[in-house]
Amino acid sequence: MNDQPPAGLVVVDKPAGMTSHDVVARLRRLAGTRKVGHAGTLDPMATGVLVVGVNRATRLLGHLTLTEKAYDATVRLGSATTTDDAEGETWMSASTAELDEQQVRTAAAAFVGELQQRPSSVSAIKVDGKRSYARVRAGEDVDLPARPVTVHELRVGAVRREGDALDVDLSLRCSSGTYVRAVARDLGEALHVGGHLIALRRTAVGPFTLAEAHTLDALADDLVVLDLSEVARRCFASLDLDDEQARDVGFGRKLAVRLDGAAPVAVFAPDGRFLALYEQRGDLAAPVAVLA
């Protein structure tokens, strides 16, 4: 590409077998810029929505309120693995012959609401400055403490027998930081047969859904970049400024305005251009990130 694309977001439908960093590397080549980053890591086995920022939009990624995510998943009951998913080694197995569909549905219902969830030891959570999964691969035993998460909705789809196992299709909406692998593990523990994740597809991240996601092959033909101003309108409360206020923002000055709420607010020039994120500090609004 001869011209760099405008600053904005690319909503990728990540394929299985690639890391989120692999996707960023591919987008850097397609966009012709090193300024590419992602929000909300997906494991290599997972597919679906990965939000990628291009050029100045990378500065916005850490501020995006992508606090709710949605997934379709398949849990295999009857065995537990070292990674809580299909990529790990099986360390226990149990018969599911006595389990029926109603027992599975009843057990799954207990995983809705505010929960204390123990993350998988192979997660990217840092322990004393080192990723938990790196410590596990180095032979260390890692036991991460439980932390609060919220599962807003969990629906059980098909429950089907696969040999000695039961495969259960789930659809869930949850808070950021929820591990679907841990839901699979804990569901298996609740039913006393073990469980692990065998398929995961993220269907939404904040306001971005599969409906607007593009495969990497499609993006190679047509790099669809959501305009930064559109992204800001969708992800933040907004405030339209007059010409004088817009000039002040360009210099990073505080504004004599009152913003609602504690979250950053996107401010826009009179012509509709996204200028910056501001937050309330005392009687004035101060810049959090100026992108103009």
Side-chain angles (χ1 to χ4, degrees), residues 102-112 154-156 168 170 183 187 190-191:
Q102 188 54 52
Q103 288 173 298
V104 172
R105 293 182 180 277
T106 299
F111 293 91
V112 178
L154 189 155
R155 293 182 288 107
V156 178
V168 183
L170 302 177
V183 173
L187 178 60
L191 291 166

Side-chain angles (χ1 to χ4, degrees), residues 125-132 135 140 144:
I125 295 172
K126 287 188 175 181
V127 179
D128 294 331
K130 187 175 180 180
R131 300 288 185 188
S132 179
R135 291 185 177 277
E140 297 182 33
L144 297 172

Side-chain angles (χ1 to χ4, degrees), residues 250-291:
F251 289 105
R253 295 169 180 158
K254 294 182 179 181
L255 298 175
V257 297
R258 174 64 61 176
L259 305 177
D260 293 330
V265 171
V267 299
F268 295 82
D271 63 4
R273 286 180 300 114
F274 172 52
L275 299 177
L277 294 177
Y278 269 64
E279 65 181 9
Q280 197 69 41
R281 296 179 189 169
D283 293 331
L284 300 175
V288 175
V290 178
L291 286 90

